[in-house]
Amino acid sequence: MLSPSCNFYDIPQSTLPKSYDYSSNDVTSTVMIDNKTFNVSIVTYDGKVGFTVGMDVIVSLFQLEVGCLLLFTKGFGHFFYLKVFGKNGVEINYPDVDADEAEVPPLDAENEPDEHIDGCVTTFVRMAGEDYFRIPDPVSRKARLDEGLKDLNIRFLHMDPPLQITNGTRREKRPNGRGYRYALTCWKKFMKAARIKMEQAAVTLLNNVDLNVDDYTIRIRIVRLWTRPTFNNPRKIYCYDMIFMDQEGTKMQAFVLQKNTTGYEHLLKENQCLTIRNPSMGENRQKVKYVHTSFKINLNPNTTVQECNEPVGAEWGFDFSPFDSIVDDPLDDSKSFKSPIDVIGFVVKCLPSDDKSDNNNGKDEKKTTFILEDLQHHQIYVTLWGCYADQILDFEKNNKDEKNVVVVVQFGKYRFWGGNMYVSNLYNVTRVLINSEVKEIMDFKKRFIERLSPEISSSYSGLSSPVVKTVTEEFLSDLTFYPIGSLNSIDTTRFVVIVGTIKSFASNNEWFYNACTTCNKKVSTTTVVKQKQDGTDGVEEVTVLECKTDVCNTKNVSSVPRIRLYIRVQDCTGIVSLTLFEREVTKLLKVNANQLLDNNIELANEGSFPNELNSLLNMKFAFKIAVSSFNITKKSDGYSVSKMTNNPVVLSELDKHFDTIQPIDEEAFSVEPSDSNRTEDLPIKDSISQTGDDVTRSSNVFKVGFTTSFDQKDADLDTNSERDLKRNLDTVYDVDAVSSQSSSKMRKDGGVDEVILIPNKEA
């Protein structure tokens, strides 16, 4: 395609009707592009036939550039079909272009009081617009611009001496669709040559926008931008969503349909400063708000958008909240996340990451959780999903030795759980920065490290998350195996592994409890006296829920059923009571307490167990159990299950330990003749009902557990992990209820330490 300034587009001779002589008469043809028709003159010039007047309208309206390929297909008579191909050879479609729309917004024609035509010189007075200058109609007719666009000689009489320049012209459709009018091109160059300084329009701050005023101008920075695709074509942009920020830091959500961005779509990018005139203000009805205002800006077809060369507000638009400034509202019963929030903190610990976890959207996505600390040493939990989790994991992978890590979560959401604040990401708008070269991050990092003592610094692990090990690694390599009969010999808090078969349920009438939705502790009912709700005088007794956590009782307590199952597990050395909670049961049975109750409400009232739970009986598992300080100090033999598996490889390897304790084939041992001194085989006792009188002290089988790669240092690490994660079952669940349901008795001092199970081999 020739330069847009060219007014003649050559038509190949092969496409012209041989029966018509274009050299004698000019004709008007019809050109159709995407079902839109245009009238274009065909004239003969210098022996060639080509399109002239009217092609400039197509070039201007469709914003054709030099290098585009125009493909004309001749129809009947003087009718042509036109297709446009870009520089890359791909066809360009224009389904959303309205041929009746003017290319440039119209100008008021009220300031055309005096027009004097003297020969070939036209003198007129006209008020200049800020962005364009429309030529008065008499001047357009005098210059015969309807026959073809041309350059005009313009003399500025207000200058001394007067200055004359040559300026191009362009065509635009009239608002009523009847005919055309004309304007000057290169308007900024024109204004500079004329030494005319436009008076800037008054700028309205976002907080001061008056809903009763339609004509106003705002100056903003695009802090965040994302797109939404069309419904039937995910590769095509339907609209742009943005967050605007003005000079005062006020933020407001905005959007514009892609079809309305003609002329300024290239300006829609993050950190771009814009001057916007005549936007619309609508109500923001989104349930999840990205900003604190309840309005949304709409850039409609009449909105004018220009680049602003002056910076607007801070570059990133951070609005950090100190961790202690966000407090749990005791009157707010909603457990949903609130938004937005910006936080910055130093990473003190990263928890194990999950490759796949069920999030609120019902999709499997990566998840990572870490702890942030601010300058006042307050800590919060941050959980990121999907691509934001990938961002954290990629940084950790590429910076394994980096311990001083500062993370910014902008436009996040938060809620309180168990007295702690948890921050997470929103679906699209959240921004995560990790040790970026941003002034706010570098300043925070410097100040935090200056206050950090070497002792505390050594305990911070940054984003180096613990390796998520397989079930086989966790149960076979990192934990001590104990037979059930030796559990009462443990005197250090730790996690250990046992293997056994679920023989029965320890409780005959309870398999779930009502948990507080805030702290997960058990709730109970109590009767309180309140003023009557019907407005009459007097009081009435009302039954309400009461939580064991005092903080929860400061507001209305609500509950949800959770599985808590007391089971009796047996191996060849004894039997023990364990407590299973909903997480592990749900993994096995794929149902939660609510679903079980919906299907078995009558059984629940009768105190019986649903069939789904009965299916656990006589199943063999390896259990990772927590030996807590409660078990040691209170002499309690009821243990909570942290994790369980029926992996055949794990069970097979752990079962080998029992071959040492109680071999399958007794003849495999070289037993001395009958006249030798033998110890009598004692029957295996319940590990929670043995007494000191029952024990023969001739074997150390139960004095220590069987271990592969576990030592006291590992035990300390497990103990620290239990404490640091704040997830040990003593604090999260109702510990008293766990132990009280055990069928065991309190251990006596000097109780069972050793049990003889293996015939002694004499030298």
Side-chain angles (χ1 to χ4, degrees), residues 31-309:
V31 176
M32 175 177 285
I33 175 172
D34 283 331
N35 296 322
K36 300 174 181 62
T37 58
F38 300 86
N39 293 326
V40 181
S41 296
I42 300 179
V43 300
T44 301
Y45 177 76
D46 196 19
K48 296 182 179 180
V49 179
F51 295 111
T52 57
V53 178
M55 279 301 299
D56 55 304
V57 176
I58 296 176
V59 172
S60 176
L61 182 62
F62 293 102
Q63 297 184 340
L64 303 184
E65 300 177 349
V66 176
C68 292
L69 177 64
L70 305 182
L71 178 61
F72 290 90
T73 303
K74 189 177 182 307
F76 179 78
H78 306 299
F79 194 93
F80 294 85
Y81 297 95
L82 174 60
K83 292 184 178 181
V84 180
F85 295 83
K87 299 177 182 179
N88 56 0
V90 178
E91 183 180 356
I92 304 174
N93 296 315
Y94 301 92
D96 298 325
V97 174
D98 188 351
D100 293 330
E101 285 185 345
E103 179 202 354
V104 294
L107 292 179
D108 293 335
E110 297 177 357
N111 296 298
E112 300 180 10
D114 298 318
E115 294 185 7
H116 176 67
I117 300 178
D118 182 12
C120 294
V121 178
T122 299
T123 303
F124 61 90
V125 177
R126 175 147 172 76
M127 181 68 70
E130 182 179 352
D131 305 307
Y132 32 71
F133 184 90
R134 184 167 61 81
I135 302 171
D137 290 342
V139 178
S140 301
R141 287 193 293 268
K142 182 74 175 178
R144 301 183 66 182
L145 294 180
D146 58 316
E147 298 180 2
L149 298 178
K150 61 187 68 175
D151 294 340
L152 299 180
N153 293 324
I154 301 173
R155 178 176 295 180
F156 299 110
L157 300 179
H158 68 286
M159 301 176 65
D160 188 17
L163 174 67
Q164 181 171 309
I165 65 170
T166 301
N167 205 93
T169 56
R170 65 181 179 185
R171 180 187 309 203
E172 64 182 55
K173 196 99 171 184
R174 293 185 181 276
N176 58 12
R178 300 176 181 176
Y180 298 91
R181 57 189 182 189
Y182 301 87
L184 298 179
T185 61
C186 304
W187 180 237
K188 291 183 179 180
K189 181 179 178 181
F190 175 90
M191 296 293 287
K192 183 176 181 180
R195 300 177 188 175
I196 299 175
K197 294 184 179 181
M198 298 300 301
E199 181 178 346
Q200 297 291 336
V203 176
T204 303
L205 296 173
L206 295 180
N207 271 336
N208 298 332
V209 172
D210 189 347
L211 298 180
N212 295 319
V213 177
D214 295 327
D215 185 8
Y216 60 92
T217 300
I218 59 175
R219 188 166 293 155
I220 55 88
R221 179 191 296 269
I222 301 178
V223 179
R224 206 75 172 104
L225 180 144
W226 64 101
T227 61
R228 280 184 281 170
T230 58
F231 178 75
N232 55 358
N233 186 359
R235 293 182 296 178
K236 184 178 180 181
I237 297 176
Y238 170 71
C239 73
Y240 291 89
D241 284 295
M242 297 164 283
I243 293 180
F244 288 169
M245 181 186 68
D246 65 10
Q247 187 64 39
E248 291 187 340
T250 303
K251 298 183 182 72
M252 190 171 291
Q253 194 171 337
F255 84 100
V256 58
L257 298 177
Q258 192 275 338
K259 67 179 183 179
N260 293 337
T261 61
T262 303
Y264 62 84
E265 188 172 11
H266 65 286
L267 297 176
L268 300 181
K269 52 189 176 183
E270 289 186 354
N271 207 34
Q272 178 70 58
C273 297
L274 301 173
T275 298
I276 302 175
R277 186 167 60 241
N278 298 336
S280 299
M281 188 71 67
E283 181 183 0
N284 187 357
R285 303 182 64 181
Q286 288 184 204
K287 183 177 179 180
V288 178
K289 299 293 192 297
Y290 301 152
V291 293
H292 293 292
T293 55
S294 57
F295 298 106
K296 181 185 289 188
I297 295 174
N298 175 24
L299 307 185
N300 55 55
N302 295 325
T303 302
T304 303
V305 178
Q306 287 182 305
E307 182 178 3
C308 178
N309 296 321

Side-chain angles (χ1 to χ4, degrees), residues 598-633:
D598 289 342
N599 298 329
N600 303 276
I601 190 64
E602 294 181 357
L603 293 176
N605 292 333
E606 296 172 1
S608 300
F609 282 78
N611 291 331
E612 292 88 343
L613 297 183
N614 286 326
S615 63
L616 295 174
L617 294 176
N618 298 316
M619 291 186 66
K620 188 175 183 179
F621 295 95
F623 300 90
K624 176 183 176 182
I625 62 174
V627 181
S628 66
S629 58
F630 184 85
N631 297 113
I632 298 171
T633 59

Side-chain angles (χ1 to χ4, degrees), residues 493-516:
T493 57
R494 63 190 345 179
F495 288 102
V496 299
V497 171
I498 64 172
V499 173
T501 302
I502 300 177
K503 305 302 291 184
S504 64
F505 299 112
S507 175
N508 294 324
N509 57 6
E510 185 178 356
W511 56 271
F512 73 95
Y513 73 105
N514 290 314
C516 175

Side-chain angles (χ1 to χ4, degrees), residues 710-742:
F710 186 94
D711 53 22
Q712 187 57 43
K713 180 179 178 181
D714 295 324
D716 293 340
L717 288 175
D718 265 341
T719 303
N720 291 335
S721 175
E722 179 184 13
R723 180 179 61 253
D724 293 341
L725 294 179
K726 298 182 179 179
R727 297 294 297 172
N728 80 23
L729 300 174
D730 291 350
T731 58
V732 176
Y733 298 102
D734 189 356
V735 179
D736 293 335
V738 172
S739 61
S740 65
Q741 294 295 333
S742 172

